[in-house]
Amino acid sequence: MTGLTSKGAATRDRIVRAATDLILERGVGGMTLDEIRAGTATSKSQLFHYFPGGKSDLVSAIAAFQSSRVLEAQRPWIDHLDSWESWQGWRDAVVDHYRGLTHKYCSITALVNEVAPTDPQLAADVAGHADQWCELLVAGLRRMRANGVLRADADPQRLALATFATLQGGLLVMQAKDSIAPLEAALDGALVMLRAYAVS
């Protein structure tokens, strides 16, 4: 929201941070606005002041906050994916971030899948954050190819998509099995795939 005072912005941020853990733990469908108000110590008028669209606005803000939190956990690696060392560092940072989380809906794609049937516009908005994440992988692979680390026939867009899809699959299995091992295996497999395009 624009035009907020510093106090208003701080209040909105507090609500988003508190609501994020509630939504990610129980899912969008598992939380009512009354439960969110209770969990965030927010009045009804206050909640709708900062989120006029109600739950949809709040979920959109949560997706943006969660996306920024996930990307920040991958820095500085994700901004400089120009060597195999940086890709290994990125892999380790992703694993470290998710190792201690217990949220069932910790991945952005899990939120997309939940809201898509009832709110396609919100799903598209949330999916935009996943696209931003994937584009950072594309940028890194383009730098690798430009620097002669990847073969000229490597397709950064397709390789990044495959890596991102593998990552998201690893997150889903991780949540189902309550174990970090599937995510580690998925990312290790993705790096093996990328190295297959390395210049000899």
Side-chain angles (χ1 to χ4, degrees):
M1 292 180 67
T2 58
L4 291 178
T5 64
S6 57
K7 182 178 179 180
T11 299
R12 184 179 186 276
D13 183 65
R14 177 187 65 78
I15 294 171
V16 170
R17 288 175 179 271
T20 294
D21 287 337
L22 294 174
I23 290 287
L24 295 180
E25 183 66 35
R26 295 176 56 179
V28 177
M31 292 297 296
T32 66
L33 281 179
D34 285 341
E35 289 172 319
I36 291 172
R37 286 197 302 103
T40 59
T42 306
S43 68
K44 186 174 182 179
S45 61
Q46 191 178 36
L47 189 65
F48 279 95
H49 171 69
Y50 293 109
F51 307 98
K55 198 171 182 180
S56 291
D57 278 2
L58 182 57
V59 171
S60 180
I62 286 170
F65 172 68
Q66 176 67 357
S67 176
S68 66
R69 185 161 63 177
V70 170
L71 289 180
E72 190 59 35
Q74 299 171 59
R75 291 194 164 96
W77 307 107
I78 198 166
D79 295 321
H80 306 283
L81 294 174
D82 53 7
S83 67
W84 297 120
E85 290 76 17
S86 62
W87 277 95
Q88 185 65 44
W90 168 78
R91 175 266 187 210
D92 294 342
V94 172
V95 170
D96 287 344
H97 174 69
Y98 284 105
R99 188 186 302 278
L101 296 185
T102 58
H103 299 313
K104 182 179 180 182
Y105 297 92
C106 62
S107 70
I108 296 298
T109 50
L111 279 176
V112 173
N113 292 337
E114 191 179 6
V115 301
T118 57
D119 197 334
Q121 182 56 51
L122 176 59
D125 182 39
V126 175
H129 299 295
D131 292 340
Q132 178 188 13
W133 187 355
C134 190
E135 280 304 312
L136 289 170
L137 304 183
V138 174
L141 291 169
R142 283 177 177 158
R143 285 192 293 270
M144 296 271 281
R145 189 176 65 177
N147 293 340
V149 181
L150 286 181
R151 300 198 314 257
D153 64 331
D155 184 341
Q157 193 81 38
R158 190 171 180 83
L159 289 175
L161 183 58
T163 301
F164 189 68
T166 302
L167 162 62
Q168 294 300 320
L171 285 174
L172 291 176
V173 181
M174 176 196 76
Q175 292 159 18
K177 289 186 172 292
D178 191 24
S179 168
I180 197 67
L183 178 61
E184 292 177 314
L187 289 173
D188 288 342
L191 294 187
V192 169
M193 174 195 66
L194 294 181
R195 283 182 177 273
Y197 288 87
V199 172
S200 299

